[in-house]
Amino acid sequence: MESAYTLANRELTEIREQNRAEQRRRTDEIIGLAPEYLEIERELARGGTALLRCVLNKTADISKIRAHIEKMQKKKADLLQRLGKSADYLDDLFHCELCRDTGFDEEGHRCSCLKNLILKYVSANANLTPYMKEQTFENFDYFLFSSQPNDRGRNPLKYMQAAHDRALRFAETFDETHENLLLIGNAGTGKTFLSSCIANYALKRQKTVYYQTAFKLFECFENVKFGKLNAEDAEQADTIIRYVYDTDLLIIDDLGTEFVTQYTAATLFDIVNTRMLQNKSTIISTNLSLQGLEDTYSARFTSRITGAYQVLSFIGKDLRRIKFSN
């Protein structure tokens, strides 16, 4: 998993190479149809060299040389027209006219084409499923949440409205505040959906994001630790592990559903602790209560996240069942 900037620049390089190959193909095509084109190009090259020499030496032959160049240019245009080609058929090819596919404008600033490519690869590295990419704050559906208090007198709709507003503020500012979120609630109450909303909002801000379930995340760490992978897969897993520590926003989903061992508990603490020390934000979602987290992992783990993580509680019925029944 390479950086989005590296991948974007690699794609720009491929675009430039493709355009050069197409230019060579077009040139060979014209030479095959009209061999005299080569002599026209030679005359234009000689004229350009002569014109530069005149400018440097300040001689009086500039107008004569310019007239010859114009004559050759017209001859070239006439040849292309005779072959049914446009006047710019042999001109340099660019996908982006602003930066000529270099990625930077004349002032050295990133071009919009490079920015869009970076955004594309930032999103690709986030590990979101196609379904998760559709889950945004804009299409948040409050109608799925009951406004009737449950048996404990708590209103699921009000809880979700509060969670939504808090999550949106987090998505807007986490890179400045370095906050973390702990999403607690039963399965299907909206934790993953809200995490996806945050992830997509962060990606629009061109922040790096990595999402993974706890099961898959710790499986990756264990496979590397205990040498369960071939060389190629181990290299890819190493890259993912580095990204887990370095990404702007890490989302660990369904914590507590993995097979918990002494190694996975220690790995979880190291991820959480290291990212906090580096001012990197993390979102953890779990079906466990705070006491359940302590019983499953350790008092050391819950002590580390207490005060450092904003807890958002999710209540109500399984939303997936509600959608299916409708």
Side-chain angles (χ1 to χ4, degrees):
M1 183 184 295
E2 296 177 278
S3 74
Y5 182 79
T6 298
L7 293 170
N9 273 291
R10 182 176 299 164
E11 182 165 338
L12 274 180
T13 299
E14 291 173 356
I15 288 172
R16 291 194 295 270
E17 291 175 351
Q18 289 169 4
N19 285 336
R20 282 195 289 268
E22 174 60 16
Q23 284 177 279
R24 288 193 295 270
R25 187 201 67 77
R26 292 185 181 189
T27 300
D28 291 341
E29 176 192 7
I30 298 301
I31 293 172
L33 295 171
E36 63 269 28
Y37 166 75
L38 278 174
E39 183 58 32
I40 295 173
E41 281 297 320
R42 291 192 191 99
E43 284 298 313
L44 285 171
R46 293 190 193 104
T49 302
L51 184 62
L52 178 61
R53 190 179 300 116
C54 285
V55 171
L56 293 176
N57 297 331
K58 299 180 180 180
T59 60
D61 294 332
I62 291 180
S63 60
K64 181 179 178 181
I65 294 172
R66 282 178 174 168
H68 180 67
I69 291 175
E70 289 174 1
K71 178 181 177 182
M72 290 298 103
Q73 288 173 336
K74 185 177 186 307
K75 192 172 182 180
K76 177 179 175 180
D78 291 342
L79 182 150
L80 291 173
Q81 184 178 21
R82 174 166 56 85
L83 296 175
K85 306 297 183 181
S86 62
D88 62 353
Y89 186 68
L90 296 175
D91 290 353
D92 290 341
L93 298 174
F94 304 108
H95 278 52
C96 179
E97 294 295 335
L98 293 176
C99 71
R100 300 170 74 88
D101 297 336
T102 64
F104 296 89
D105 61 23
E106 294 179 351
E107 297 179 356
H109 301 140
R110 285 183 184 177
C111 183
S112 58
C113 70
L114 177 57
K115 291 179 181 178
N116 289 334
L117 283 175
I118 291 173
L119 185 59
K120 165 186 158 183
Y121 285 110
V122 165
S123 180
N125 283 347
N127 199 40
L128 301 180
T129 66
Y131 180 65
M132 293 173 70
K133 291 177 181 178
E134 297 175 359
Q135 298 173 337
T136 65
F137 288 112
E138 289 78 13
N139 58 27
F140 200 91
D141 188 0
Y142 283 117
F143 288 102
L144 294 173
F145 302 91
S146 173
S147 60
Q148 300 300 316
N150 62 13
D151 54 2
R152 295 185 180 182
R154 298 187 296 179
N155 186 314
L157 178 58
K158 288 185 177 180
Y159 266 74
M160 184 48 69
Q161 288 172 332
H164 171 281
D165 294 345
R166 183 66 191 86
L168 180 56
R169 290 197 301 275
F170 174 89
E172 292 171 336
T173 62
F174 72 88
D175 52 312
E176 300 173 359
T177 63
H178 315 303
E179 292 179 302
N180 306 283
L181 294 179
L182 178 62
L183 314 184
I184 293 180
N186 293 331
T189 51
K191 301 186 300 298
T192 301
F193 185 93
L194 202 61
S195 296
S196 300
C197 292
I198 295 172
N200 285 308
Y201 195 98
L203 289 171
K204 285 185 179 180
R205 298 180 58 221
Q206 298 192 18
K207 304 301 176 183
T208 57
V209 176
Y210 186 67
Y211 164 91
Q212 190 54 280
T213 63
F215 177 84
K216 288 289 187 180
L217 181 65
F218 295 124
E219 181 183 52
C220 178
F221 275 78
E222 286 181 332
N223 286 340
V224 172
K225 172 69 174 179
F226 301 109
K228 298 180 180 180
L229 304 173
N230 59 40
E232 183 178 347
D233 290 342
E235 183 179 357
Q236 175 68 8
D238 276 330
T239 304
I240 291 173
I241 288 173
R242 288 195 299 272
Y243 204 61
V244 165
Y245 287 99
D246 294 339
T247 187
D248 295 330
L249 177 62
L250 173 66
I251 302 174
I252 304 176
D253 201 10
D254 286 336
L255 185 67
T257 58
E258 77 283 5
F259 181 68
V260 181
T261 65
Q262 186 175 0
Y263 173 74
T264 58
T267 300
L268 173 62
F269 181 85
D270 184 63
I271 293 171
V272 167
N273 189 56
T274 301
R275 288 185 58 81
M276 287 173 60
L277 293 175
Q278 294 177 345
N279 287 326
K280 300 282 189 179
S281 294
T282 305
I283 298 174
I284 298 174
S285 76
T286 180
N287 300 343
L288 301 174
S289 64
L290 285 173
Q291 185 59 53
L293 288 172
E294 182 172 330
D295 294 340
T296 303
Y297 299 99
S298 67
R300 180 170 175 246
F301 168 69
T302 52
S303 175
R304 190 70 181 97
I305 65 174
T306 300
Y309 277 64
Q310 173 81 27
V311 178
L312 298 183
S313 298
F314 292 73
I315 63 175
K317 298 179 180 179
D318 190 328
L319 300 178
R320 286 166 291 201
R321 292 185 179 180
I322 296 174
K323 285 185 176 181
F324 182 77
S325 64
N326 291 336

